[in-house]
Amino acid sequence: MTNPRGAAANSAAMSAALSGAVDLSALKARADAQRQQQSSPQAPTGGGGAPAGGAVLNVTEADFQPEVVERSLNQLVVVELTASYSGQAQQLSQTLDKLASHANGAWVLARVDVEASPRIAQLFGAQSIPTVVAVAGGQPVHAFAGALPEAEVQKWLDELLDALKDKLPGAQGAQQGGEPAEEPEDPRFTEAEDAFARGDFAAAEAAYQRILDVEPANEQAKAALVHVRFEARAAEADSSAVAKADAEPGDLDAQLAAADFEVAQNEAEAAFDRLIAAVRRTAGDDRNRVREHLVGLFELFDPADERVAKARRNLASALF
């Protein structure tokens, strides 16, 4: 999984980190030179309007320059760093596929399998999977990590496109006409999402909880609340939590914090094993506390994730 802060850092923090980790200037310079040498007035592949290869491109190290760097000179390219082992990544892929298919060419999704192309993840300094990076004008301009709710991803994209509409021909033209206007945003979710975006997890949690107080069955609010609560905890955890937990197996607070940090660092199996071991060592209220924390971590992942299925089996064995 990711992190932000560990699992899914907010976009601003993630973008700040990228600004020092990524330098595509050399690739951009080569792309600019190639464009100037072309005798044809046509733009290079991927130069604006609807993406030539469709809304979603599978990108490797071999075609990263033309499909991401050169294409981004005319059109917003959203680079998705993903992996088959990550349930969160698969969840985010579905969201991005849906949004890209309705984008009317305003942006193109470049999907990168980091297992097959690890150097691209290294180039962006990605600390967790999934990570999403917006590239425009040959440079990364914004990013986030983690499987954000669809509404938050759409808002992130809308803000990017608005900021780039006068800079990228593709972003400016593709937003006009074609697709019907989307339904107005629910102001209750907007309030929660705005609080989350500025790192005010307490306010975001309270906003989502107010929705659930009125609509207990609202699945979107439920999922978002789980995500926000985890982010709040993960933001407080660091590598020292693991060292402390390893040194003091009986310290439940340390065990829970270490598990949060490990999940945030995409080490879900280690986190699950840690808490299952704690379940085996404890009883009564302590055991129930660890069990509830572990089940809460399961909710961050796709139910079909094999790591979750395996951990659920091991938890049942530990309990009974």
Side-chain angles (χ1 to χ4, degrees):
M1 177 177 154
T2 143
N3 35 208
R5 64 13 237 210
N10 62 52
S11 335
M14 187 69 187
S15 298
L18 281 168
S19 66
V22 185
D23 182 8
L24 304 182
S25 57
L27 290 175
K28 179 177 181 293
R30 289 201 296 272
D32 288 341
Q34 290 172 359
R35 294 179 69 198
Q36 293 172 1
Q37 292 170 3
Q38 290 179 336
S39 58
S40 169
Q42 295 180 340
T45 301
V56 182
L57 306 172
N58 291 313
V59 175
T60 66
E61 293 167 6
D63 57 8
F64 179 81
Q65 179 177 325
E67 295 292 18
V68 175
V69 180
E70 294 180 37
R71 185 183 291 270
S72 76
L73 300 178
N74 293 276
Q75 180 181 33
L76 175 65
V77 178
V78 176
V79 179
E80 176 195 4
L81 303 176
T82 188
S84 60
Y85 60 74
S86 171
Q88 271 210 334
Q90 301 308 306
Q91 176 185 341
L92 181 61
S93 290
Q94 294 177 9
T95 296
L96 290 172
D97 282 346
K98 176 182 176 181
L99 296 178
S101 68
H102 292 87
N104 195 33
W107 56 278
V108 62
L109 177 64
R111 177 165 291 140
V112 177
D113 181 345
V114 299
E115 294 176 284
S117 301
R119 288 197 297 175
I120 297 179
Q122 294 169 7
L123 173 68
F124 286 114
Q127 297 299 307
S128 57
I129 299 300
T131 287
V132 174
V133 184
V135 180
Q139 290 294 325
V141 294
H142 225 277
F144 69 83
L148 299 184
E150 179 179 330
E152 292 184 32
V153 178
Q154 182 65 68
K155 181 180 179 182
W156 180 77
L157 287 164
D158 289 344
E159 291 176 349
L160 278 171
L161 291 169
D162 185 61
L164 296 168
K165 63 185 179 182
D166 296 325
K167 301 178 178 65
L168 293 180
Q172 183 178 32
Q175 282 188 293
Q176 302 172 355
E179 295 295 331
E182 296 203 5
E183 296 181 6
E185 292 186 6
D186 187 329
R188 301 173 303 169
F189 281 90
T190 300
E191 176 190 1
E193 291 158 6
D194 287 346
F196 180 85
R198 65 175 181 267
D200 190 344
F201 300 125
E205 179 177 349
Y208 285 124
Q209 187 59 59
R210 284 194 292 273
I211 297 173
L212 291 171
D213 289 342
V214 178
E215 302 176 30
N218 191 309
E219 294 300 325
Q220 182 180 353
K222 285 182 182 179
L225 186 58
V226 169
H227 180 74
V228 168
R229 286 173 173 169
F230 173 77
E231 289 300 328
R233 299 197 310 268
E236 301 297 324
D238 57 32
S239 58
S240 65
V242 175
K244 182 177 182 181
D246 290 344
E248 303 177 42
D251 187 333
L252 288 189
D253 288 337
Q255 297 303 323
L256 301 185
D260 285 341
F261 179 78
E262 288 169 331
V263 169
Q265 296 301 308
N266 200 32
E267 298 174 0
E269 288 182 286
F272 297 162
D273 290 346
R274 174 184 298 282
L275 294 188
I276 290 170
V279 166
R280 296 182 187 281
R281 293 193 301 267
T282 54
D285 290 343
D286 284 347
R287 169 178 280 197
N288 192 51
R289 181 186 175 198
V290 177
R291 180 191 64 78
E292 290 181 349
H293 195 96
L294 177 57
V295 171
L297 292 180
F298 289 162
E299 293 177 358
L300 297 168
F301 296 82
D302 186 329
D305 191 311
E306 177 54 34
R307 295 170 300 175
V308 173
K310 176 183 176 183
R312 286 189 182 278
R313 292 192 296 269
N314 291 340
L315 175 60
S317 175
L319 290 171
F320 306 106

